[in-house]
Amino acid sequence: MHDTRRGSLSCVGLGMTLGSHLTPLARSHIEQADVVFAALSDPIAEEWLKRMHPDVRSLQPHYAEGKPRMKTYREWVARMMADLRAGKRVCGVFYGHPGIFAWSPHKVIEQARAEGYEAHMEPGISAEDCLYADLGFDPGRYGCQHFEASQLLYCERRIDTAGYLVLWQVGVVGNRSVGRFETGPAYRALLVERLEQDYPPGHEVIVYRGATLPIERARIQRITLRELAGAPLTAEETVVLPPAVTLQPNRAMLDRLQALDLRGQEATAA
């Protein structure tokens, strides 16, 4: 029978920039854990994490060229659950925000709770947060849509060109194979073809990569949509398309709102 009295799970975000984005609460979860599992692509970040805890176990060795990503992620969940079932306080540490483009944290928390364990996700500063600061736009001004790039190819989605469009993992767009870490220009050409249904070929495209080390600066490259297929990209780059058209007023709704305002004024006056 599993010991559910002491075992607990937390999945925390390390933030994007090493050392400067870790929240005090996330640090507390790391320091108070019995065992820490790390899903960090940068070995420098792992070494930094080891200064906070004596038992940090890297999840990176589960990756392998040609190995299905989902198999890797299920192995991560199994490793964390094994120590949780042994009654340990387990902490999983992930880059950025542990709930954004991260299957394993959601799954292991779901499984832990289903088995009666206390499980918690602690948010972190994500690539999206850094993007707004580095590119200098407010998603609330014109609106902002986010898509995993492949979803625009796999599914029928409606793009609102009056707002910002943020595409994640363009470097692996259309990757239907089990173990490739990037796809080539021919795959991105299909994405460009899809985007040109809504945007002109000369529309501005911003290729963005946030800083992960304090000595780095964000990388920002501005190209045209027609150039996107040939641009060198990895899964870490994010692609942003600024608005292509101006917001159009909804006259009918504005008239109805004005009528409500007038009614309110008349009621107040009475």
Side-chain angles (χ1 to χ4, degrees):
M1 187 173 179
H2 301 316
D3 179 4
T4 60
R5 291 171 297 175
R6 190 169 65 90
S8 64
L9 170 72
S10 60
C11 290
V12 308
L14 197 64
M16 294 305 297
T17 303
L18 180 63
S20 58
H21 286 177
L22 184 67
T23 67
L25 193 52
R27 179 185 285 270
S28 175
H29 281 289
I30 294 168
E31 293 175 340
Q32 293 177 20
D34 295 319
V35 57
V36 174
F37 290 95
L40 307 172
S41 58
D42 192 330
I44 298 175
E46 280 195 14
E47 290 304 314
W48 181 77
L49 186 60
K50 289 175 182 176
R51 298 179 186 176
M52 276 185 276
H53 199 281
D55 190 0
V56 174
R57 305 176 190 180
S58 177
L59 294 170
Q60 291 302 115
H62 288 271
Y63 280 121
E65 193 73 34
K67 179 181 179 180
R69 288 292 185 97
M70 191 52 65
K71 183 176 181 181
T72 295
Y73 299 150
R74 292 186 188 280
E75 288 172 354
W76 290 6
V77 171
R79 284 192 64 185
M80 288 186 278
M81 287 301 302
D83 278 88
L84 178 61
R85 291 172 183 135
K88 295 181 181 179
R89 290 169 296 179
V90 177
C91 181
V93 182
F94 301 83
Y95 253 136
H97 190 302
I100 298 178
F101 286 95
W103 182 86
S104 298
H106 286 292
K107 187 62 180 179
V108 73
I109 286 174
E110 175 190 333
Q111 189 166 334
R113 288 174 176 169
E115 295 184 20
Y117 295 97
E118 180 183 343
H120 170 75
M121 180 179 285
E122 186 60 31
I125 295 176
S126 69
E128 178 186 347
D129 301 314
C130 298
L131 182 150
Y132 297 137
D134 292 332
L135 298 186
F137 75 88
D138 182 349
R141 186 174 182 187
Y142 298 113
C144 187
Q145 288 182 297
H146 292 259
F147 292 107
E148 197 277 331
S150 293
Q151 199 174 99
L152 290 183
L153 302 184
Y154 301 159
C155 307
E156 294 287 345
R157 301 304 305 260
R158 185 176 298 173
I159 296 174
D160 179 5
T161 59
Y164 286 87
L165 176 66
V166 181
L167 300 178
W168 300 92
Q169 299 183 334
V170 174
V172 291
V173 67
N175 184 7
R176 293 162 61 86
S177 68
V178 295
R180 279 188 295 175
F181 293 96
E182 59 185 74
T183 52
Y187 290 82
R188 289 196 294 279
L190 290 178
L191 176 65
V192 170
E193 180 182 320
R194 167 63 186 89
L195 292 171
E196 285 181 348
Q197 295 175 13
D198 295 282
Y199 298 90
H203 188 70
E204 181 183 58
V205 169
I206 305 168
V207 180
Y208 169 80
R209 183 170 183 171
T212 57
L213 296 175
I215 58 172
E216 293 179 338
R217 298 183 67 179
R219 283 180 256 176
I220 301 169
Q221 181 186 11
R222 298 176 190 273
I223 59 176
T224 62
L225 178 56
R226 67 168 64 91
E227 296 173 307
L228 180 60
L233 294 175
T234 66
E236 285 73 35
E237 271 86 27
T238 302
V239 169
V240 180
L241 281 73
V245 298
T246 58
L247 290 169
Q248 299 301 308
N250 184 333
R251 296 297 181 188
M253 191 60 72
L254 288 170
D255 289 344
R256 293 176 67 183
L257 288 168
Q258 185 177 19
L260 286 175
D261 290 342
L262 287 172
R263 245 181 278 167
Q265 292 170 9
E266 290 169 358
T268 303

